[in-house]
Amino acid sequence: MSSIFRDRALGSSKRHSQYQSPMPQQQPVYPVEGLPSPFDDLGSNLSDSELRETAYEILVAACRSTGTRPLTYIPQSEKTERAPAISHSASLQRSLTSSAASRVKKALGLKTSSASKRRVGGGDSVSQGRGKKAVTVGELIRVQMRVSEQTDSRIRRALLRIAAGQLGRRMESVVLPLELLQQFKSSDFPSQQEYAAWQRKNLKVLEAGLLLHPHLPLEKTNSASQQLQQIIRGAPEKPLETGKHNESMQVLRSSVMSLACRSFDGSATETCHWADGFPLNLRLYKMLLEASFDINEDTSIIEEIDEVLELIKKTWVVLGLNQMLHNLCFSWVLFHRYVATGQVENDLLFASNSLLIEVEKDANEIRDPVSSKILTSILSVILGWAEKRLLAYHDNFHSGNVESMQSVVSLGLLSAKILVEDLSYEYRRNRKEVSVTCERVETYIRSSLRTAFAQKMEKVNSRKHISKNQKGSLPALSILAQDTSKLALNEKEIFSPIMKRWHPFAAGVAVATLHSCYGNELKQFITGISELTPDAIEVLRAADKLEKDLVQIAVEDAVDSEDGGKSIIREMPPYEAEAVVANLVKSWIETRVDRLKEWTDRNLQQEVWSPQANKERCAPSAVEVLRIIDETLEAYFLLPIPMHAVLLPELMTGFDRCLQHYILKAKSGCGTRSTYVPSLPALTRCSTGSKFHGVFRKKEKSQITQKRLVGTSNGDNSFGIPQLCVRLNTLQQIRTELGVLEKRILADLENAECTLSYDIANGTGKRFDLSATACVEGIQQLCEAIAYKIIFHNLSHVLWDGLYVGEVYSCRIEPFLEEVEQYLEIISSTVHDRVRTRVITDIMKASFDGFLLVLLAGGPSRAFTHKDSEMIKEDFKLLTDLFWSNGDGLPADLIDKFSTTVKNILPLLGTDTESLIEQFKHLILESFGSANSKLPLPPTSAQWDPTEPNTILRVLCYRNDEMAAKFLKKTYNLPKKL
């Protein structure tokens, strides 16, 4: 037996060299899918490596106990000089190079891997590297289970000591962790830490096997369990003394043996139950079975699987397993490896399914509730995984991997059949006539095809929005009918042959499901048909063709059945489709126009004119209006009628009036230029020598204040500057789209070979005249409203109430410029580029008007001296520079054009009072001729002008010096004080 598990140099064997000289090895990375563990939680912190080492210890001990010869130990130094001891079993003596083809792999349908062929072939590099020494199966298992030479040597040494002290005892009568604890001291380990960890591992195994998962139920009052628990809890604080005659060791042995040797009937038994409690035994056995996988090719079963399983099965007597549980556990291990390695090796799935077939043979004989629970747990996980794929198998399988689908279906149905038919008492009692497998397959077919149909429908709906402007694009349900037909043919060719193994009408069930899915959509479509549309005709034609295809597949599938497929055909009632009468075309137009009117009114009431509504920063309601018109025109020209041009004016008139109504509503309440510009105050004069100069008569002051507040009391946020910009963008968007629509209509008329297209193209056929005119007027009104509202309303606190109030030098134009700049940024980021320059130009004009209004009619708080003119000129230069913006703003010639008036008037502020008076007298005489000694009062003109008497008179009224005051007092008797 020593030769089975003795360390041998494997030459160039990759598996062996990995543990001779441990080196980190890059493992392949797979898209791992998490699977819930079918085994209960151990409740202890035993790691996989500790479980693996414990499983290896059990395997070595189980193999030793089955032998007829005593186990001998050869020290490490003698291994290279002595031949291996003779094993008890001829099969275990077989070297790797002489292994025959695996019977297990053949039975499970596993192919021989290229790595295994190279490893076991005669005269290969591995055997050459070994020289004359044969590599045994035992050594192979050690390497496969990642057990180091040092650990293996220590295990064999302990087993020799155990055998020497308990000669003749079989392994099932030995509590291995207990015996191992007694065989070693800390000096047998490289360090005290390793020894302590090893002790803890064995105590945790005892805890798991005897306390947490005992073979027999454990009474709460059992003193031995309490005693063992105390020892385990105290071990971390004080290392366990393991001497043979040590008191603590004797106490440990007494409690362990008392727990391990219990029986159901209380009689004495030679079998020690310390590792055969569920799920500990299955977790340990799983570790042994995983040695079947090549550590360097983790989707490949080793070629020596026969010999490895032969040894592994020797642990059954310790772990309390049988052939059924072995098949179940091995099936789970193969299945789990298939999933954990990315589902790339279909042989593993096939092999797992083959083992599950063996499990099914014994499943209905299971009476043990624990075994039944384990079987149910494992099968439930497998079934859940399989059904997750099968309920939507169109998403998971295709022609390239359909072979694996057969194994998945078989695995899922086997699991369901065992769970329902073999384990369910209720099912066996009622004995349903329909098989579980047939029911499940039908469920898979219907569920997956409904999902696939829904995906097709979603895809078609998304394409409908993309292709709505493409001429000749098919209706959504017509495309869906084509896609459904392709789906049915694909089902028939790829999936139905597989499903037919378990369901006689697999293809028939599939097409009946698709017929129902499409029929539901078609029924909704037909319900909504109230007029003639090309969509209706196209959809009905496509539905008719689809129905014929589906029925044909169902008939072919049931040709050999007893009823000829009548049961399936009864599931497919014919599609109902009503023809739309051609004389409803006019009603169609009237209905669409009325619907648009209603929609426009309703949505205009709800429109908030938010700049954040969309990236175009225009009203969603307008976008929707234009979309409705666009779609209606498209539908109109697709109508199968010969009189498109004759009826087009009626449709166009309706649209034009709807758009005109929308435009008038959009600009309604937004105000105009005159809404925000205050009326000019009556003439007066400033009083000299005071900081704040009253320049209005009392009866006029309140009137001006009231006029200045006109249009400013409306607190509706829908008329804020950003909202006004959205209204402006909306009109521009409509204006642009009108041209697009008109061009499209001409193209549609030409395609329809319309005889009136020439007249329409030349303007004799009226199109969107009302709405086009309304757009032009609305854009002009909104541009001015935005500009003058900003300057005279929103910025009145820095312009009307702030600029040059008191002393000029202390109330300059900078605050006004800063706030204007903020509004310009809002305009630049909000207004459509086609009208942005126009709005900014109007803001510039409004700011120039406001600037002049402050200088010539600024109210009682303003008065200017001759010296103030330079500062005022500087301020105006800053104002024009704001709009020029170093060349990034308005064009210089545009600024010059609209600043001419201000530039012509500013010199008047720098002209001395005497010259102004002379100039004023001259202009009065020119305008009114010779008059009496008193000069007539000139009327207020519509525009400021340096050659206009009223303009010069206002400059004099705001001139803060004695000469101007005397002239005004003498000429017009204007008072110095209010």
Side-chain angles (χ1 to χ4, degrees):
M1 180 62 212
S2 59
S3 63
I4 303 172
F5 291 95
R6 178 171 300 138
D7 300 302
R8 298 266 182 202
L10 292 184
S12 60
S13 172
K14 292 181 180 178
R15 289 194 305 230
H16 194 275
S17 60
Q18 182 178 354
Y19 293 96
Q20 289 282 39
S21 302
M23 292 289 288
Q25 184 172 355
Q26 184 68 32
Q27 294 293 329
V29 177
Y30 302 98
V32 178
E33 177 181 356
L35 280 176
S37 174
F39 308 119
D40 292 338
D41 185 17
L42 286 181
S44 65
N45 56 349
L46 277 167
S47 65
D48 284 351
S49 61
E50 289 173 331
L51 285 171
R52 192 180 298 111
E53 183 176 329
T54 302
Y56 184 73
E57 292 168 352
I58 294 173
L59 176 63
V60 176
C63 290
R64 178 201 65 79
S65 66
T66 59
T68 57
R69 297 174 181 269
L71 182 67
T72 58
Y73 167 64
I74 302 175
Q76 203 60 23
S77 60
E78 300 180 27
K79 286 181 180 179
T80 57
E81 301 175 1
R82 295 179 55 179
I86 298 175
S87 173
H88 61 84
S89 173
S91 65
L92 298 180
Q93 293 180 25
R94 183 182 302 142
S95 68
L96 298 182
T97 56
S98 63
S99 294
S102 169
R103 296 187 305 276
V104 172
K105 296 185 84 170
K106 184 177 180 181
L108 296 180
L110 294 165
K111 63 177 179 290
T112 301
S113 67
S114 56
S116 297
K117 289 178 181 179
R118 291 195 302 270
R119 184 176 64 248
V120 302
D124 64 358
S125 60
V126 175
S127 60
Q128 292 171 5
R130 287 196 309 266
K132 297 180 179 180
K133 296 178 182 178
V135 178
T136 64
V137 179
E139 291 180 53
L140 175 63
I141 293 178
R142 177 188 68 77
V143 174
Q144 287 290 111
M145 294 191 70
R146 301 174 177 83
V147 176
S148 67
E149 296 177 2
Q150 293 77 9
T151 301
D152 176 59
S153 177
R154 185 166 59 244
I155 293 170
R156 290 186 290 105
R157 196 160 63 244
L159 290 173
L160 284 172
R161 294 172 183 173
I162 295 170
Q166 302 178 0
L167 190 61
R169 285 186 66 185
R170 300 186 63 81
M171 197 59 225
E172 59 268 27
S173 65
V174 175
V175 181
L176 187 57
L178 176 66
E179 301 300 336
L180 289 176
L181 281 170
Q182 193 169 333
Q183 301 306 320
F184 295 106
K185 300 178 181 179
S186 60
S187 58
D188 294 312
F189 289 81
S191 66
Q192 177 65 32
Q193 289 79 7
E194 288 190 33
Y195 175 63
W198 179 79
Q199 270 198 349
R200 286 196 300 272
K201 186 267 293 186
N202 283 288
L203 289 174
K204 285 190 289 185
V205 172
L206 290 174
E207 179 185 34
L210 297 175
L211 299 179
L212 300 177
H213 308 285
H215 178 73
L216 302 178
L218 192 62
E219 302 86 1
K220 293 182 180 180
T221 58
N222 188 295
S223 58
S225 66
Q226 296 173 359
Q227 199 172 43
L228 177 58
Q229 190 65 56
Q230 290 176 359
I231 295 172
I232 293 172
R233 287 177 179 174
E237 300 176 2
K238 183 181 179 181
L240 186 67
E241 296 292 336
T242 59
K244 184 175 183 181
H245 301 293
N246 185 276
E247 182 180 352
S248 61
M249 190 63 197
Q250 290 178 354
V251 173
L252 175 64
R253 176 176 291 279
S254 173
S255 59
V256 167
M257 295 307 295
S258 174
L259 293 169
C261 295
R262 294 177 301 135
S263 63
F264 282 104
D265 55 7
S267 61
T269 176
E270 293 184 0
T271 301
C272 292
H273 299 288
W274 66 273
D276 51 352
F278 295 91
L280 175 63
N281 56 350
L282 294 183
R283 294 285 293 272
L284 292 169
Y285 197 61
K286 175 176 172 286
M287 293 296 176
L288 292 170
L289 290 175
E290 285 179 346
S292 304
F293 293 98
D294 194 319
I295 62 173
N296 292 300
E297 193 175 349
D298 53 6
T299 60
S300 175
I301 296 290
I302 58 176
E303 199 66 22
E304 301 81 11
I305 182 66
D306 299 52
E307 291 87 344
V308 170
L309 289 181
E310 183 182 343
L311 293 186
I312 289 176
K313 289 181 179 181
K314 296 182 185 300
T315 64
W316 289 3
V317 67
V318 178
L319 299 176
L321 301 179
N322 55 31
Q323 185 66 48
M324 192 281 293
L325 288 173
H326 162 80
N327 290 338
L328 179 63
C329 198
F330 198 19
S331 177
W332 166 258
V333 168
L334 292 166
F335 167 74
H336 184 270
R337 182 59 63 98
Y338 169 76
V339 176
T341 53
Q343 306 173 37
V344 296
E345 186 52 71
N346 293 329
D347 282 1
L348 297 178
L349 195 63
F350 184 84
S352 176
N353 184 68
S354 299
L355 283 167
L356 208 58
I357 293 173
E358 298 300 318
V359 172
E360 183 196 13
K361 296 176 182 177
D362 302 321
N364 57 2
E365 303 298 329
I366 294 177
R367 298 294 180 264
D368 174 22
V370 176
S371 298
S372 179
K373 177 184 176 183
I374 292 297
L375 180 59
T376 300
S377 180
I378 291 178
L379 293 179
S380 296
V381 175
I382 293 176
L383 178 60
W385 177 90
E387 291 203 328
K388 183 179 178 182
R389 279 142 192 79
L390 296 176
L391 289 171
Y393 59 78
H394 289 83
D395 293 339
N396 299 291
F397 301 101
H398 47 79
S399 57
N401 67 350
V402 72
E403 291 182 1
S404 65
M405 178 183 172
Q406 184 164 315
S407 294
V408 174
V409 175
S410 180
L411 202 65
L413 293 179
L414 268 173
S415 301
K417 186 174 183 296
I418 296 171
L419 286 170
V420 177
E421 294 185 2
D422 297 327
L423 296 182
S424 171
Y425 170 75
E426 188 67 24
Y427 179 89
R428 291 201 300 267
R429 191 167 66 101
N430 296 331
R431 282 293 175 189
K432 295 182 180 180
E433 295 182 2
V434 181
S435 70
V436 172
T437 54
C438 192
E439 282 184 342
R440 294 259 172 179
V441 167
E442 186 162 327
T443 299
Y444 300 154
I445 293 172
R446 294 191 187 278
S447 171
S448 187
L449 279 166
R450 288 190 187 108
T451 302
F453 179 85
Q455 292 170 350
K456 293 287 186 185
M457 189 165 64
E458 183 179 354
K459 185 177 180 181
V460 166
N461 288 337
S462 64
R463 282 190 298 182
K464 179 178 68 174
H465 297 297
I466 297 174
S467 62
K468 67 178 181 179
N469 292 324
Q470 296 177 0
K471 186 174 179 60
S473 60
L474 293 174
L477 278 184
S478 180
I479 298 173
L480 184 61
Q482 296 175 4
D483 290 349
T484 304
S485 182
K486 292 177 183 177
L487 185 60
L489 292 173
N490 186 67
E491 180 76 15
K492 173 189 173 184
E493 294 173 4
I494 298 177
F495 301 116
S496 293
I498 293 175
M499 295 302 196
K500 202 170 180 66
R501 291 184 53 192
W502 294 278
H503 196 296
F505 305 129
V509 169
V511 296
T513 303
L514 291 175
H515 186 276
S516 174
C517 289
Y518 188 83
N520 292 334
E521 301 302 317
L522 183 64
K523 187 181 297 183
Q524 295 180 22
F525 178 81
I526 291 176
T527 302
I529 295 177
S530 60
E531 63 231 352
L532 178 64
T533 63
D535 282 9
I537 294 177
E538 185 63 43
V539 168
L540 292 174
R541 288 175 180 172
D544 183 63
K545 182 180 185 304
L546 171 63
E547 186 169 41
K548 291 178 180 177
D549 293 342
L550 297 180
V551 170
Q552 180 65 26
I553 293 174
V555 171
E556 291 176 358
D557 184 57
V559 67
D560 296 326
S561 64
E562 294 180 1
D563 66 349
K566 292 180 180 179
S567 58
I568 293 295
I569 298 300
R570 280 196 293 270
E571 276 193 52
M572 305 166 66
Y575 293 147
E576 294 183 3
E578 296 182 2
V580 181
V581 183
N583 59 7
L584 293 177
V585 176
K586 281 193 174 184
S587 175
W588 182 91
I589 294 175
E590 183 180 350
T591 301
R592 295 297 176 95
V593 171
D594 289 344
R595 193 182 304 163
L596 181 59
K597 288 178 181 177
E598 294 174 4
W599 191 97
T600 302
D601 284 332
R602 184 172 63 253
N603 283 271
L604 270 171
Q605 293 174 2
Q606 301 172 355
E607 186 61 73
V608 295
W609 310 100
S610 170
Q612 287 76 38
N614 48 47
K615 63 180 181 180
E616 292 83 8
R617 291 183 171 82
C618 65
S621 56
V623 175
E624 190 67 12
V625 167
L626 292 169
R627 183 191 66 79
I628 293 172
I629 292 175
D630 182 73
E631 291 184 353
T632 306
L633 282 170
E634 180 180 9
Y636 175 77
F637 281 104
L638 287 174
L639 291 175
I641 57 173
M643 67 287 291
H644 288 108
V646 175
L647 298 175
L648 180 62
E650 184 175 343
L651 181 63
M652 295 287 289
T653 300
F655 285 161
D656 198 17
R657 288 175 178 170
C658 285
L659 284 172
Q660 181 194 34
H661 175 68
Y662 182 95
I663 294 164
L664 294 177
K665 286 287 186 179
K667 70 175 185 175
S668 175
C670 297
T672 62
R673 178 182 184 277
S674 60
T675 305
Y676 301 103
V677 177
S679 300
L680 292 177
L683 286 170
T684 183
R685 66 187 180 91
C686 68
S687 95
T688 59
S690 64
K691 183 176 182 182
F692 298 103
H693 311 283
V695 294
F696 293 105
R697 294 184 178 92
K698 288 182 180 180
K699 63 180 181 179
E700 297 167 340
K701 181 176 181 181
S702 60
Q703 295 175 356
I704 295 171
T705 303
Q706 291 174 359
K707 181 61 180 176
R708 183 153 50 93
L709 295 176
V710 171
T712 66
S713 60
N714 189 348
D716 189 352
N717 191 48
S718 66
F719 293 99
I721 295 302
Q723 288 71 28
L724 291 177
C725 291
V726 173
R727 293 172 188 262
L728 179 61
N729 289 342
T730 302
L731 298 193
Q732 177 60 34
Q733 180 76 6
I734 293 174
R735 185 182 182 187
T736 302
E737 288 299 317
L738 290 180
V740 174
L741 288 172
E742 289 172 356
K743 289 180 181 179
R744 175 183 165 182
I745 290 169
L746 290 177
D748 287 338
L749 288 172
E750 290 175 0
N751 292 334
E753 298 181 356
C754 175
T755 56
L756 299 181
S757 60
Y758 176 82
D759 294 334
I760 292 177
N762 284 274
T764 56
K766 300 302 180 183
R767 300 184 290 274
F768 295 104
D769 291 341
L770 297 175
S771 49
T773 302
C775 273
V776 172
E777 295 173 352
I779 289 172
Q780 179 180 353
Q781 177 185 331
L782 286 173
C783 285
E784 290 185 351
I786 291 170
Y788 283 86
K789 182 173 184 178
I790 290 173
I791 300 303
F792 289 97
H793 175 259
N794 293 21
L795 300 185
S796 63
H797 62 288
V798 287
L799 176 67
W800 194 253
D801 299 331
L803 184 62
Y804 305 145
V805 172
E807 301 296 337
V808 171
Y809 70 86
S810 61
C811 300
R812 300 286 293 275
I813 202 169
E814 284 83 358
F816 174 70
L817 296 180
E818 290 175 1
E819 299 209 25
V820 171
E821 186 172 13
Q822 293 177 10
Y823 277 102
L824 291 178
E825 290 177 358
I826 294 174
I827 299 299
S828 297
S829 62
T830 307
V831 175
H832 192 285
D833 55 2
R834 291 284 183 90
V835 289
R836 188 181 303 147
T837 299
R838 182 169 182 174
V839 177
I840 294 174
T841 302
D842 282 348
I843 293 173
M844 179 180 69
K845 290 165 62 178
S847 66
F848 291 171
D849 289 350
F851 189 74
L852 283 177
L853 200 63
V854 167
L855 296 178
L856 302 177
S861 59
R862 293 180 175 88
F864 306 103
T865 66
H866 177 269
K867 296 179 180 179
D868 291 336
S869 63
E870 291 303 319
M871 287 185 286
I872 294 172
K873 288 180 181 178
E874 290 175 5
D875 283 353
F876 184 69
K877 178 65 167 55
L878 293 175
L879 180 59
T880 56
D881 287 348
L882 173 65
F883 291 98
W884 183 61
S885 186
N886 294 321
D888 293 331
L890 296 176
D893 57 346
L894 192 64
I895 297 173
D896 290 340
K897 174 183 176 182
F898 290 106
S899 64
T900 301
T901 300
V902 182
K903 289 179 179 179
N904 290 338
I905 291 174
L906 284 180
L908 296 177
L909 299 179
T911 303
D912 61 89
T913 306
E914 183 179 358
S915 299
L916 284 175
I917 293 172
E918 291 302 322
Q919 187 175 351
F920 173 74
K921 292 178 179 179
H922 176 72
L923 290 174
I924 287 292
L925 292 174
E926 280 188 352
S927 301
F928 298 98
S930 59
N932 299 327
S933 59
K934 189 175 181 179
L935 296 176
L937 185 68
T940 301
S941 63
Q943 295 291 333
W944 304 118
D945 189 279
T947 61
E948 192 265 325
N950 181 264
T951 301
I952 297 176
L953 181 58
R954 287 182 178 271
V955 174
L956 286 170
C957 285
Y958 287 92
R959 177 60 61 88
N960 188 9
D961 63 21
E962 191 66 26
M963 182 180 292
K966 288 180 179 180
F967 172 75
L968 294 172
K969 174 67 175 175
K970 179 181 178 182
T971 307
Y972 298 113
N973 196 28
L974 296 179
K976 293 183 179 180
K977 296 181 181 180
L978 292 176

